[in-house]
Amino acid sequence: QGQLVESGGGLVQPGGSLRLSCVVSGSWRRINVMGWYRQAPGKERELVARIDSGGSTKYVDSVKGRFAISIDNAKNTMYLQMDSLKPEDTAIYYCNAGATDLSFRNLEVWGQGTLVTVSS
């Protein structure tokens, strides 16, 4: 079974940028959709952005025009480029994948999370 490992979080000032990475490892028959979720203190986890196997993307309204999701298949890595960051973007960001394994089971896999803090 595959794993997802995030990196790239940290402390950034308002208006700054960060790029999160999610490396996909292991054996899959097919990865159907990948996405970034976040969970702020005291709030529920929410979908930030997702990209499907056809390359179609979707963003939560609060990040449209500021965040961009992408995949580099050669590096087995998904990215989230975050620009014009705001304090309300502070959260733990999780990588997520909906995939089909070698036994044709549909699975949902989560990374361990990476903390993004936007503060002056």
Side-chain angles (χ1 to χ4, degrees):
Q1 185 167 328
Q3 288 186 319
L4 306 176
V5 178
E6 303 102 330
S7 62
L11 173 64
V12 63
Q13 292 186 341
S17 298
L18 281 175
R19 189 176 77 159
L20 305 182
S21 300
C22 173
V23 178
V24 181
S25 65
S27 299
W28 302 96
R29 184 167 299 278
R30 177 183 170 90
I31 293 179
N32 303 304
V33 62
M34 293 193 72
W36 289 96
Y37 288 72
R38 67 185 179 187
Q39 187 165 18
K43 295 187 176 181
E44 294 187 353
R45 190 175 297 188
E46 67 169 350
L47 174 66
V48 176
R50 79 173 178 206
I51 183 167
D52 65 21
S53 57
S56 296
T57 59
K58 178 180 179 179
Y59 298 90
V60 66
D61 286 346
S62 60
V63 308
K64 286 181 180 177
R66 300 189 298 121
F67 290 11
I69 189 171
S70 63
I71 290 178
D72 185 334
N73 289 313
K75 296 182 178 180
N76 294 327
T77 302
M78 177 177 66
Y79 301 100
L80 184 68
Q81 177 66 42
M82 305 186 295
D83 298 321
S84 302
L85 282 160
K86 303 175 180 180
E88 50 264 42
D89 295 318
T90 295
I92 299 174
Y93 285 71
Y94 296 91
C95 175
N96 172 272
T100 304
D101 70 7
L102 300 180
S103 299
F104 293 96
R105 294 175 299 182
N106 292 323
L107 302 174
E108 185 175 36
V109 184
W110 291 90
Q112 82 286 356
T114 185
L115 177 63
V116 172
T117 304
V118 184
S119 176
S120 56

